Each structure stands twice: as structure tokens, then as C-alpha cells.
């Protein structure tokens, strides 16, 4: 009994607790798990009982995996403000020392109205321990070289060293790149000059923008569903809409945030787990990517800072091609409206989402492969040599389309189609916090993830009437009759129409069967 009383109580880190929970989830008997980790059955039961708390902490990355206690800071608002600032600095790979963090803590404490707060060495150590950061702002890359800029030598060094290690265990099918871009989805050709170079940090133009996240693999065989971030959480054009060709989220600035990116990552990780796959995901160091959740099936690799223009495949032509196709769809709509008696209504979010999705799925595999090869990440010999060369953009048909619309809408002569395509390339896609913004969040308790109001930015757009299943079937039949009068319609078009017919008939049949069963009961 004396020995038992003198036994030192063991503390477990968050990482160790999660390993215990995962062992039980794998199907092992609880008794065997308790013996394997040297814990009592009651301790195991406590871990299982608190698993939701552990998972939440890991998902939010609010504590380090080695942390053994989850007690909040005494000055919790100061702690949150300093951590928000640190995340922003961490994303930019700026060298941060303990004294710098302490000075920033004192500054933020004064702004919050705390006169007695002391940013002592003890506070700094507890701050590090709470968030498990251990001043890791310089862990991804050599900060001294980053601050001096990364030249071609650094790019070549990365090609010859780090990337080879990263891709060694993965096939091109399992190597992905994800990146975001901003889109002025209502931009008209005649307004190109006013929009070009606009960072859109807020104001009226924020209502006219979206942020789109794209992700594809190195072989060009897999493109994931786009994630579109808008400003309105419940736009009227999405009322009664239950299926979209992408995922849609919203916040006040229509920016990518850590929470949204981490939510997307967790969903991808779950799909990979279900498919029993492991993938490598290459991303940049923007502020939305700097505090990732715990992932089981995704290995994340960071591209060298300040080199994404030459190393990120999506930036080397894939996103540009998507925008070329999106703007082409937009020009076709404008041309149709110019030649009809319809009112020239602005594009709404639903239409923009549909066109962005169509543009993304229309990017050719050969274009994707070419951009990965241009980045130097995938050697040419790893890809099938019979992939056709990517067509140059814009092609002649698009140039003719642009010329027709430009004349009709009085676009200045100095503006060309490429200006129209790249007008929103400088849009900010993630938040860059200022000290005042950090404090406003702490004082007012407002989150930048809050979406705009339902009707904000859409007051002039009429609500579209709901289409019934009968109307949809009738429209499909009209489309079939129209195609039958055309010459040279490809078989693939009729195949797609057959798929639409089959889906609609299956829906209406199931509805009728269900109604009959209900009447019988």
C-alpha cells in the first residue's frame, strides 16, 4: 500500500491521449489497449469520455500536441490577440524571438486596457507551451535567406533536394496542389481598367467578389470540387437550391480563412481515408494555411516563400486557363443579351458558381500536366508522352468574341482580352491582420468569418422562380427537338442528354411511387 501511495502520477500529452483513443477505434480490446499504454481501465474510460474535447483542441490547433494540460491563460484575451498576431507572422516566415513576442504582448495588452500585465519570461514560456509553437516561425525554411529574398539558386536547390524527398513515395496521381484566387464575378469588359490592380480589402467592391479554391493532381486525372467563398451566407439566388457543382461558404470579406481552409482539409482527409489513399498536398504559406489540423491521410508540403510564381502549378497557367474559360462564358452571356430584348441583368452568385465550375472542369488534362512540368515538380518522363499539347489561350474564336463585345460595350482600345482575364489577379484572398483589427475582435467579440446579410449586394437581382420536375422534363424534351434540327451534333451531346433524361425520369418515378405508398398507408 505504501508503494502504491508513493507512485508518481503520470501525465499524458494530448498526442498520447489521441493515440490511446485511436487504438480503441482500430478494434483492439479495451483491456489490451490499457495494458499496451500502461494505464488503468478507469483512465482509459476517462480518455474515451473526453475524446470530443481532445479532437476539438487538435482540430482548432489551439494547443500543441505535446501539451499535457488544457488550462486557459489568465489573460485569455491578451493570449488570443498575441496568438492571432503570431499566426500572421508565422505565415510570412518572419524571424521571431522571445523578446519580440513579449514586446508585442505588452503593446496589445495596453491597447486592451491592461496596465498591470507583465510579459515576463514565465508568461512567454507558458504561451509557447499553451500553443505548442516553441517559436516555430523559422522551422519551415531558413528565415535569414527568406528575408533576403529567394533567387533562382534557392529554386534550383529546392528542385534538387526537398521536392525529391517529398514526392519520392507518391505517384503523380497522389500529388496535389491547392491554391486560391479572387474573382470579380460581375466584372464587365468596359470596367476592366477600373478593376485592374485592385486588392479589394473591403467596401462596395467586396460584394462583387468571390474567392475560389482549386485543387488538382500532377497527372491531371483528378480535379477536386472547387470551394467558393462569397460574402452572403444565404443569397436569394440560392434559395431552394440543394445541389451545386462546388462547395459554397461565406464570410464578411469573401476571403479564405484558417477555419474554412481547415474544414476543407478535414473533408479531403476523410475522403482519402475512406478511399484508403495517402496523398501529398503542396500549398503556399498564406495566412489561411499556417495552422493546420491533425491529418491522417494528407502529408502537407509547403512551397518556398516568395517562389510560388515559378513553383506553384496552379499559378503557372491552370488558374489562368480557368479564368479564360470563365470570362469567355461571361462574354457569351453578354453577347446573347445584347442581341435580345431581355433586360441586361447582372450575373448573380448562382450563375457565377455554375460558370466557374464549368470552366474548372473544362481545363484539359494536358494543360494541367504542362503546368506541373513547368513547375519542375514532376519530370516529363513520369507522365504519359501521348498527352496532347495544350491549346494556346486565348484562341481565335475567343478573340473574335471579345472584339464583338468590346465594340458593342465601348471598351477602350487599350484594353484587350488578357486585361479582362487578369483584372482580378491582385485580389487579396486571405486576411492580413493589423493590431487594431486583432483588438477589435477581442473587444467586440466579432468574427471575420461572419457572413454578410441575406440580401446584401443582391437587392437589384430578382428571385428566380422554382422550376418543377415537369418543367424540367419539358425543357429537356425541347432541347432534344432543337438538337434534332441541327447538323453534325456529336454523339457525346446526345449521350449527355440521355443521362439528363434518365435522371429526371428516375426522380419523377420515385416521387410517384412514394406518393402511392403514402396514399396506401
Amino acid at each position: 500500500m505504501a508503494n502504491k501511495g508513493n507512485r508518481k502520477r503520470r501525465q499524458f500529452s494530448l498526442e498520447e491521449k489521441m493515440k490511446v483513443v485511436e487504438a480503441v477505434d482500430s478494434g483492439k480490446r479495451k483491456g489490451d489497449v490499457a495494458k499496451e499504454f500502461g494505464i488503468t481501465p478507469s483512465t482509459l474510460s476517462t480518455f474515451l469520455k473526453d475524446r470530443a474535447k481532445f479532437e476539438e483542441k487538435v482540430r482548432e490547433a489551439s494547443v500543441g500536441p505535446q501539451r499535457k494540460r488544457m488550462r486557459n491563460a489568465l489573460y485569455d484575451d491578451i493570449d488570443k490577440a498575441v496568438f492571432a498576431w503570431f499566426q500572421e507572422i508565422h505565415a510570412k516566415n518572419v524571424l521571431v524571438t522571445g523578446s519580440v513576442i513579449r514586446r508585442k504582448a505588452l503593446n496589445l495588452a495596453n491597447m486592451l486596457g491592461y496596465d498591470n500585465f507583465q510579459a515576463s519570461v514565465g508568461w512567454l514560456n507558458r504561451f509557447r507551451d499553451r500553443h505548442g509553437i516553441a517559436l516555430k516561425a523559422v522551422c519551415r525554411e531558413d528565415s535569414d535567406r527568406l528575408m533576403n529574398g529567394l533567387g533562382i539558386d534557392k529554386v534550383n536547390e529546392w528542385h534538387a533536394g526537398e521536392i525529391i524527398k517529398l514526392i519520392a513515395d507518391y505517384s503523380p496521381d497522389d500529388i496535389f496542389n491547392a491554391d486560391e484566387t479572387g474573382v470579380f464575378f460581375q466584372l464587365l469588359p468596359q470596367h476592366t481598367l477600373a478593376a485592374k490592380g485592385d486588392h479589394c480589402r473591403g467596401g462596395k467592391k467586396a460584394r462583387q467578389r468571390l474567392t475560389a479554391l482549386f485543387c488538382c493532381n500532377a497527372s491531371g486525372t483528378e480535379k477536386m470540387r472547387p470551394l467558393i467563398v462569397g460574402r452572403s451566407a444565404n443569397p436569394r439566388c440560392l434559395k431552394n437550391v440543394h445541389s451545386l457543382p462546388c462547395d459554397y461558404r461565406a464570410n464578411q470579406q469573401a476571403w479564405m480563412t484558417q477555419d474554412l481552409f481547415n474544414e476543407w482539409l478535414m473533408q479531403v482527409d476523410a475522403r482519402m481515408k475512406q478511399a484508403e489513399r495517402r496523398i501529398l498536398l503542396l500549398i503556399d504559406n498564406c495566412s489561411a494555411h499556417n495552422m493546420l489540423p491533425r491529418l491522417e491521410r494528407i502529408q502537407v508540403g509547403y512551397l518556398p516563400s516568395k517562389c510560388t510564381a515559378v513553383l506553384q502549378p496552379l499559378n503557372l497557367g491552370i488558374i489562368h486557363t480557368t479564368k479564360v474559360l470563365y470570362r469567355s462564358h461571361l462574354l457569351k452571356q453578354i453577347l446573347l443579351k445584347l442581341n435580345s430584348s431581355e433586360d441586361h441583368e447582372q450575373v448573380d452568385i448562382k450563375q457565377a458558381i455554375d460558370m466557374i465550375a464549368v470552366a474548372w472542369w473544362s481545363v484539359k488534362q494536358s494543360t494541367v500536366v504542362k503546368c506541373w512540368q513547368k513547375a519542375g515538380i514532376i519530370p516529363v518522363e513520369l507522365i504519359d508522352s501521348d498527352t496532347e499539347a495544350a491549346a494556346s489561350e486565348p484562341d481565335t474564336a475567343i478573340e473574335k468574341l471579345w472584339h464583338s463585345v468590346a465594340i458593342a460595350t465601348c471598351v477602350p482600345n487599350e484594353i484587350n482580352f488578357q486585361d479582362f482575364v487578369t483584372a482580378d489577379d491582385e485580389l487579396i484572398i486571405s486576411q492580413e491582420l493589423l493590431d487594431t483589427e486583432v483588438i477589435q475582435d477581442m473587444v467586440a467579440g466579432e468574427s471575420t468569418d461572419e457572413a454578410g446579410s441575406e440580401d446584401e449586394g443582391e437587392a437589384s437581382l430578382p428571385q428566380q422562380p422554382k422550376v418543377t420536375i415537369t418543367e424540367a422534363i419539358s425543357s429537356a424534351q425541347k432541347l432534344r427537338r432543337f438538337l434534332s434540327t441541327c447538323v453534325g451534333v456529336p454523339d457525346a451531346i446526345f449521350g449527355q442528354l440521355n443521362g439528363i433524361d434518365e435522371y429526371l425520369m428516375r426522380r419523377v418515378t420515385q416521387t410517384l411511387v412514394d406518393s402511392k405508398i403514402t396514399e396506401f398507408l
Side-chain angles (χ1 to χ4, degrees), residues 14 57 61-80 82-83 105 117 120-134 291:
L14 186 59
K57 291 294 182 181
S62 60
V63 298
Q66 304 301 325
R67 177 99 175 271
K68 296 184 177 181
R69 303 180 72 182
M70 292 185 288
R71 182 181 298 169
N72 290 333
L74 179 61
Y75 295 94
D76 192 46
D77 46 358
I78 297 176
D79 187 271
K80 289 179 180 177
V82 176
F83 187 52
F117 173 75
S120 63
V121 174
W123 173 86
L124 176 64
N125 290 335
R126 290 190 295 274
F127 174 79
R128 293 176 178 178
D129 180 58
R130 270 191 296 274
H131 299 288
I133 54 177
M291 293 298 291

Side-chain angles (χ1 to χ4, degrees), residues 31-67:
D32 294 338
V33 172
K35 290 180 181 178
E36 179 183 345
F37 288 91
I39 59 177
T40 64
S42 62
T43 301
L44 176 60
S45 298
T46 301
F47 287 177
L48 295 174
K49 176 183 174 183
D50 294 337
R51 67 179 299 163
K53 296 179 183 178
F54 303 154
E55 291 171 350
E56 181 70 18
K57 291 294 182 181
V58 170
R59 185 164 55 250
E60 294 177 352
S62 60
V63 298
Q66 304 301 325
R67 177 99 175 271

Side-chain angles (χ1 to χ4, degrees), residues 328-329 331-332 335 396-406:
S328 300
H329 288 303
L331 289 177
K332 291 171 185 175
L335 191 60
T396 305
I398 294 177
E399 287 290 4
K400 288 182 178 179
L401 178 62
W402 165 259
H403 186 66
S404 300
V405 174

